[in-house]
Amino acid sequence: MRALPADALAALRAAGVELVTDGALLERFGHDETEGFRFPPAAAALPASTAQIQATLRVASRHRIPVAPRGAGTGLSGGALPVAGGLVLGLERMNRIRGLDRRNATIDVEAGVTVAAVDAAANEAGLFYPPDPASRESCQIGGNIAEDSAGPRSCKYGTTRRFVLGLEAVLADGSLLRTGGANRKDVAGYNLTQLLVGSEGTLAVVAAATLRLLPVPRERLTLVLPFPALESAASAVEEIFATGNEPAACEILDHAALAAVGGTLELPPALAGAGAALFLELDGEDPDALLRGAERIAAVAERCDGGEVLVAQDPADQRRLWRIRRGVAEAVKHRSVYKEADTVVPRARLADLVRAAHDVAAAHGLEAACYGHAADGNLHVNLLRGALPPDEWEARRDAAELDLFERVVALGGSVTGEHGVGWTQRRFLPLVASGASLRVQRALKAAFDPAGILNPGKVFTDEADG
Ligand SMILES: Cc1cc2nc3c(=O)[nH]c(=O)nc-3n(C[C@H](O)[C@H](O)[C@H](O)COP(=O)(O)OP(=O)(O)OC[C@H]3O[C@@H](n4cnc5c(N)ncnc54)[C@H](O)[C@@H]3O)c2cc1C
């Protein structure tokens, strides 16, 4: 790993930026939650203010040092990996809640605040922050903005971008960019706020954000619906929405995912032998309306061969059931070496996607465990290595993944629903982005970061895209 110039390190220290340069202490900045990748940086800078982020980027820009912005490192597409070496810019010390405005129902937070902490602060004011990725206890709001992250409640409330009203961001040359603000409407100029959402740390570093909050729904109801097979669960999803229901969350787990989480948590008997399950949340003001909704959904389940529906009204019972859904990702990943494909299709094609996932896995002699956000047509297809030798696994995995994404795109879908393109999905981007689209995206990158120091190696492959 090429060391950083001594005068760059001295300039960072002079600006008061905390630096990590010791090899052992740097280890944690060289990986995220994406498979087994390891890319140790030359150093990590941990600024504690927007001014220190600016100072860091000014120094990096002057010395042409690659900079990988990093939140909590829970990313699943390798976005925070310092693949070009250089500097990791960690936001963990930017963890202050600057203020909550009850009258406007907004909150101002620094990028390193965890999503759970944003929601907890909102709850104290009778409000809530809906985006709820399973990693919400650890992942940071800056990381969620960079990935436009989602969670079960995106079904009703939408993804992170719906809640970002304004940003304080720093460009690659160190200049400060303020976008949007607390206004609910603002069409002055291009919408740079929304351009930065989902830009994966390649256009600017998010230092702070103004987020929209909602009143906490008074009532919630959790339903768990077991099914004999994944296809019947996917058909039920289509019918639930086609019959006018609007759950807050609608999640799907296949047999292999249930078996994996069953190895770490106790499952209710109705789920133990199920071929698949749906986890739903209904929310609103009127408890009777929620119960009527639950009855309608139970009737759909029955028509789709579903088993006995579990209904939880008590918050402790609800939490117990949702722990099963939230524990799936970790449980699957501990079962075997895996490759996760973050597939997404229009919701009405979910049953086709489910079939395609299992067909592709079988055609390549691999096991698959699938789960995800059914309401968004977003299925995480985990291809499992099992007992295969490494070479054979890698060859089958790569061929199966390409096959799968080609099938997904043929269904009108895309190559990542919420985990981002990052480092691992770059080869698939041209399957969904035309030459014209890639040209515009590269031009935007060049406008924001002409020297190409910000998160190099991400989103685009090195080849010209035509
Ligand atoms: C167990 C588990 C469950 C998960 N569940 C979900 C889920 O339900 N839904 C979902 O969408 N994702 C999920 N994820 C993925 C991950 O948590 C999200 O992508 C999350 O937004 C990453 O946040 P982070 O703070 O860890 O960012 P990191 O992983 O550190 O970085 C992610 C990307 O954001 C960039 N970045 C980080 N901070 C900034 C910043 N301040 N400014 C500019 N760029 C920045 C990085 O460069 C990188 O490209 C899960 C991950 C795990 C491990």
Side-chain angles (χ1 to χ4, degrees):
M1 180 54 49
R2 240 180 63 206
L4 299 187
D7 52 344
L9 292 174
L12 290 171
R13 286 202 180 93
V17 178
E18 186 175 313
L19 283 180
V20 181
T21 51
D22 176 88
L25 298 177
L26 275 177
E27 197 276 336
R28 73 181 174 100
F29 298 104
H31 59 89
D32 61 4
E33 291 291 331
T34 316
E35 300 145 46
F37 295 107
R38 290 278 184 285
F39 291 93
L46 305 176
S49 66
T50 302
Q52 288 189 1
I53 298 176
Q54 291 183 264
T56 305
L57 286 168
R58 264 188 226 112
V59 171
S61 172
R62 197 177 318 127
H63 291 270
R64 293 279 196 275
I65 298 168
V67 176
R70 180 184 179 90
T74 66
L76 296 173
S77 60
L81 298 173
V83 295
L87 204 54
V88 162
L89 194 163
L91 278 302
E92 62 196 46
R93 297 180 68 216
M94 297 281 297
N95 59 4
R96 282 169 294 258
I97 293 178
R98 290 181 176 173
L100 185 145
D101 179 345
R102 274 198 182 81
R103 291 195 308 161
N104 283 310
T106 57
I107 188 166
D108 281 351
V109 294
E110 291 182 345
V113 177
T114 66
V115 174
V118 173
D119 191 37
N123 291 169
E124 279 176 29
L127 299 166
F128 89 120
Y129 177 69
D132 57 344
S135 50
R136 65 194 287 280
E137 297 294 333
S138 50
C139 66
Q140 300 177 3
I141 201 71
N144 274 213
I145 290 168
E147 299 288 12
D148 188 17
S149 297
R153 290 186 184 143
S154 310
C155 168
K156 178 171 178 180
Y157 296 100
T159 64
T160 298
R161 73 167 66 255
R162 295 255 317 254
F163 297 90
V164 182
L165 292 175
L167 292 173
E168 182 175 295
V170 182
L171 297 179
D173 66 2
S175 41
L176 186 63
L177 176 72
R178 288 187 201 281
T179 73
N183 292 317
R184 296 287 161 137
K185 290 170 127 183
D186 181 353
V187 291
Y190 294 155
N191 194 332
L192 297 182
T193 309
Q194 294 298 324
L195 178 60
L196 291 185
V197 177
S199 65
E200 304 193 36
T202 61
L203 299 184
V205 175
V206 173
T210 301
L211 306 170
R212 193 164 73 90
L213 303 173
L214 296 179
V216 182
R218 286 206 179 84
E219 302 290 336
R220 293 190 203 276
L221 205 59
T222 297
L223 309 181
V224 176
L225 284 50
F227 289 89
L230 192 57
E231 283 84 350
S232 43
S235 305
V237 171
E238 195 175 334
E239 210 181 318
I240 286 169
F241 287 95
T243 48
N245 297 289
E246 199 197 16
C250 177
E251 301 281 299
I252 193 165
L253 276 66
D254 76 357
H255 177 71
L258 283 168
V261 71
T264 58
L265 293 171
E266 196 184 335
L267 299 185
L271 287 189
L278 294 181
F279 281 61
L280 283 95
E281 181 173 275
L282 308 184
D283 69 4
E285 298 301 297
D286 176 3
D288 293 336
L290 296 196
L291 286 170
R292 284 196 298 279
E295 279 166 17
R296 280 198 306 273
I297 289 168
V300 170
E302 202 181 329
R303 286 199 291 281
C304 296
D305 299 330
E308 179 203 349
V309 176
L310 309 178
V311 181
Q313 283 181 286
D314 175 64
D317 292 339
Q318 295 178 358
R319 275 195 298 277
R320 256 192 298 281
L321 287 173
W322 279 104
R323 268 185 65 208
I324 297 172
R325 165 62 188 98
R326 292 195 185 281
V328 168
E330 293 284 2
V332 167
K333 288 165 181 49
H334 279 109
R335 227 188 98 189
S336 161
V337 171
Y338 68 96
K339 175 72 194 180
E340 178 168 346
D342 176 31
T343 64
V344 64
V345 292
R347 187 171 59 216
R349 306 306 298 268
L350 182 67
D352 298 322
L353 171 59
V354 158
R355 263 188 297 277
H358 282 281
D359 286 355
V360 166
H364 292 270
L366 295 170
E367 260 189 86
C370 303
Y371 58 86
H373 314 295
D376 295 332
N378 184 196
L379 193 71
H380 302 312
V381 180
N382 285 266
L383 302 168
L384 306 177
R385 172 176 150 192
L388 284 175
D391 290 359
E392 202 173 328
W393 153 245
E394 279 162 28
R396 289 189 195 193
R397 172 199 68 192
D398 291 351
E401 213 186 357
L402 179 60
D403 229 1
L404 177 60
F405 280 122
E406 283 174 350
R407 301 268 299 260
V408 165
V409 172
L411 291 172
S414 186
V415 298
T416 170
E418 59 179 18
H419 294 163
V421 177
W423 167 249
T424 57
Q425 298 304 104
R426 295 169 310 152
R427 72 182 173 119
F428 302 120
L429 184 61
L431 292 179
V432 280
S434 66
S437 165
L438 288 168
R439 270 197 304 280
V440 173
Q441 293 189 55
R442 283 181 186 279
L444 285 167
K445 168 70 179 164
F448 275 81
D449 176 20
I453 61 161
L454 209 47
N455 222 358
K458 306 298 166 57
V459 180
F460 308 108
T461 52
D462 296 332
E463 302 91 55
D465 301 294

